[in-house]
Amino acid sequence: MTTLLPVDASAIQAAPAPRGRTIGVRVGQGAGGVMVGGGAPVVVQSMTNTDTADIEATVRQVADLARAGSEIVRITVDRDEAAAAVPHIKERLLKMGVTAPLVGDFHYIGHKLLAEHPACAQALDKYRINPGNVGFREKKDRQFGAIVELAIRHGKSVRIGANWGSLDQELLTAMMNENALSARPLDARAVTREALVRSALWSAERAQEIGLAQDRIILSAKVSAVQDLIAVYRMLAARCNYALHLGLTEAGMGSKGIVASSAAIGVLLQEGVGDTIRISLTPEPGGDRSVEVRVAQELLQTMGFRTFTPQVAACPGCGRTTSTVFQELAQDIQGWLAASMPKWRETYPGVETLNVAVMGCIVNGPGESKHADIGISLPGTGEAPAAPVFVDGQKSLTLRGPAIAADFKAMVEQYIERRFRRDGGVSPS
């Protein structure tokens, strides 16, 4: 007889750790303002890859990213032409009704660009400073201070973003030398992690000494390896209560970048670490930049932190589902739901919580369909050509004939109208 061991209640907890208590930072003003940290929902953000001096292309991409769900969008401000373009970009976006806060990404000469282009400094909602390349040697503190003072003058928030690839070499060298003389030296990787954390924390403390309030500061410390990112952010979270921006830098292209980013960020979010995320994907040539936004949303929704769009559960298929009908219907339903969301958000409050199941055979089809708000179990290979539909856990009817897909789609739309219509709000399931 098998002996059943006592159940440890902590081992079956189905919830993430409580979010770390960070200081909330308001990014942007008015209707487009976004709260990062302070218990606010985890914010999705992204970055353009256009030449910011190309106003038309940058406006188009910022608008695309915002419409895809990016709640904050960062743009590169690397030279005079880019800085001069920023106020025009902002003006055009506002005329289009795009209010997502704009972040200026500054390296090397940010202090100069902000000082010489006050319209740019005012148009941006947040400045991103990399302490590793804000300046070198005796210029570093002065130029860092100049950007912070401009942020104070214009009432802007700041992200202090340390990066593994541009770490302050003076700091790293000093720490490596100190470590070499230690009785119990750490390995080089551990020292580099500590240097990255110190760079971010020291820079934040310096910004506060200059006069920037803590509720204007967001920290990040990005690396390109999953385990390093997890370790670095655990260290940051244990040593400060600044709002934290998560992201795996240089994550890569396609499934590699998606898996690596999701693995690292997912672990940290589950531990209660992180207030805003960016999935840094290398797009294919001419590819859709907004893919990284959708991945970030899917990560948050899959983990149960936020809801953005209705979810479609569909089986992976096997030898019992040699027909492609369920695959085609699942794809059709998923695409239709996503395309309809901009309009539905206004008409059907709460519709993003909808769960739909499109299953391929009798094995798991009825069970999964019962768990969904509305689900269909299509006939598998050799099964009778009938498709039972389940609504709120109960069998509603059975569809037959060549119009099964169209009939089910119509039922989903009727369900949404009945349950989420604006006048009645969300009716009980």
Side-chain angles (χ1 to χ4, degrees):
M1 179 181 290
T2 302
T3 302
L4 298 179
L5 299 175
V7 176
D8 179 359
S10 65
I12 58 173
Q13 287 293 326
R19 291 272 300 284
R21 297 185 64 181
T22 58
I23 302 297
V25 178
R26 185 79 176 174
V27 180
Q29 302 299 320
V34 176
M35 181 62 72
V36 176
V42 179
V43 173
V44 172
Q45 60 178 283
S46 56
M47 184 176 184
T48 60
N49 61 355
T50 58
D51 177 358
T52 304
D54 184 338
I55 296 172
E56 184 176 342
T58 303
V59 166
R60 184 168 56 249
Q61 191 172 82
V62 171
D64 288 345
L65 290 168
R67 287 166 182 156
S70 184
E71 294 158 300
I72 297 174
V73 181
R74 181 160 43 115
I75 61 177
T76 298
V77 186
D78 58 346
R79 63 193 196 280
D80 287 304
E81 292 83 356
V86 169
H88 301 290
I89 292 168
K90 182 77 168 184
E91 182 181 16
R92 289 198 192 183
L93 288 168
L94 291 175
K95 285 181 179 178
M96 295 167 64
V98 177
T99 58
L102 279 185
V103 180
D105 196 60
F106 294 100
H107 298 275
Y108 306 111
I109 59 169
H111 62 291
K112 177 176 179 291
L113 293 174
L114 286 169
E116 295 179 359
H117 296 272
C120 168
Q122 186 56 45
L124 292 169
D125 296 288
K126 185 174 75 171
Y127 309 155
R128 187 268 180 151
I129 312 172
N130 183 338
N133 58 29
V134 71
F136 303 100
R137 298 184 178 86
E138 71 281 354
K139 295 180 180 179
K140 180 171 62 178
D141 191 60
R142 183 172 71 251
Q143 293 176 180
F144 175 84
I147 298 179
V148 171
E149 287 170 356
L150 284 160
I152 295 169
R153 184 184 310 164
H154 291 282
K156 307 300 179 180
S157 54
V158 169
R159 171 160 72 96
I160 294 173
N163 193 294
W164 188 275
S166 52
L167 185 56
D168 185 331
Q169 290 304 300
E170 290 181 61
L171 171 63
L172 181 60
T173 299
M175 290 183 62
M176 286 292 187
N177 291 338
E178 180 184 340
N179 182 63
L181 299 173
S182 171
R184 300 179 64 182
L186 303 172
D187 64 60
R189 203 171 195 88
V191 176
T192 305
R193 289 172 176 171
E194 175 63 22
L196 192 65
V197 170
R198 286 193 195 180
S199 176
L201 291 175
W202 286 352
S203 298
E205 290 169 6
R206 176 62 184 140
Q208 284 193 256
E209 290 172 1
I210 295 169
L212 188 65
Q214 188 173 355
D215 65 0
R216 294 282 189 181
I217 299 173
I218 298 171
L219 288 192
S220 68
K222 293 191 176 183
V223 299
S224 55
V226 169
Q227 295 299 339
D228 288 321
L229 191 84
I230 294 169
V232 163
Y233 274 91
R234 281 173 175 166
M235 293 162 70
L236 270 177
R239 289 156 64 173
C240 75
N241 61 353
Y242 292 107
L244 296 179
H245 167 123
L246 304 185
L248 190 74
T249 190
E250 289 93 37
M253 182 180 286
S255 61
K256 185 269 180 186
I258 292 171
V259 171
S261 292
S262 298
I265 295 172
V267 167
L268 291 165
L269 291 173
Q270 187 68 14
E271 295 179 358
V273 177
D275 300 295
T276 178
I277 66 172
R278 189 225 168 170
I279 305 292
S280 300
L281 297 180
T282 304
E284 295 181 2
D288 183 0
R289 187 68 163 179
S290 62
V291 169
E292 66 177 44
V293 178
R294 292 193 290 275
V295 172
Q297 290 181 328
E298 288 171 10
L299 174 61
L300 291 173
Q301 183 150 343
T302 299
M303 295 188 70
F305 291 106
R306 293 185 65 182
T307 52
F308 296 96
T309 190
Q311 295 292 286
V312 179
C315 67
C318 65
R320 297 180 63 91
T321 57
T322 51
S323 166
T324 61
V325 174
F326 88 93
Q327 299 166 329
E328 292 163 357
L329 180 56
Q331 184 180 48
D332 184 28
I333 292 290
Q334 190 158 292
W336 171 62
L337 291 172
S340 301
M341 278 305 293
K343 179 179 69 176
W344 285 352
R345 282 193 187 96
E346 301 299 321
T347 310
Y348 303 119
V351 69
E352 64 274 6
T353 65
L354 178 71
N355 285 299
V356 180
V358 180
M359 304 301 292
C361 79
I362 200 170
V363 174
N364 292 319
E368 285 288 350
S369 296
K370 288 177 183 177
H371 288 304
D373 295 315
I374 180 169
I376 187 170
S377 179
L378 292 159
T381 305
E383 294 177 14
V389 176
F390 297 81
V391 177
D392 294 330
Q394 302 296 319
K395 184 177 176 181
S396 175
L397 53 77
T398 299
L399 297 176
R400 293 181 173 85
I404 285 177
D407 290 345
F408 178 67
K409 196 170 172 181
M411 289 187 69
V412 172
E413 192 153 22
Q414 291 166 9
Y415 180 87
I416 290 170
E417 168 65 25
R418 183 177 71 253
R419 180 177 172 189
F420 297 103
R421 64 186 182 279
R422 177 179 287 280
D423 58 350
V426 180
S427 64
S429 298

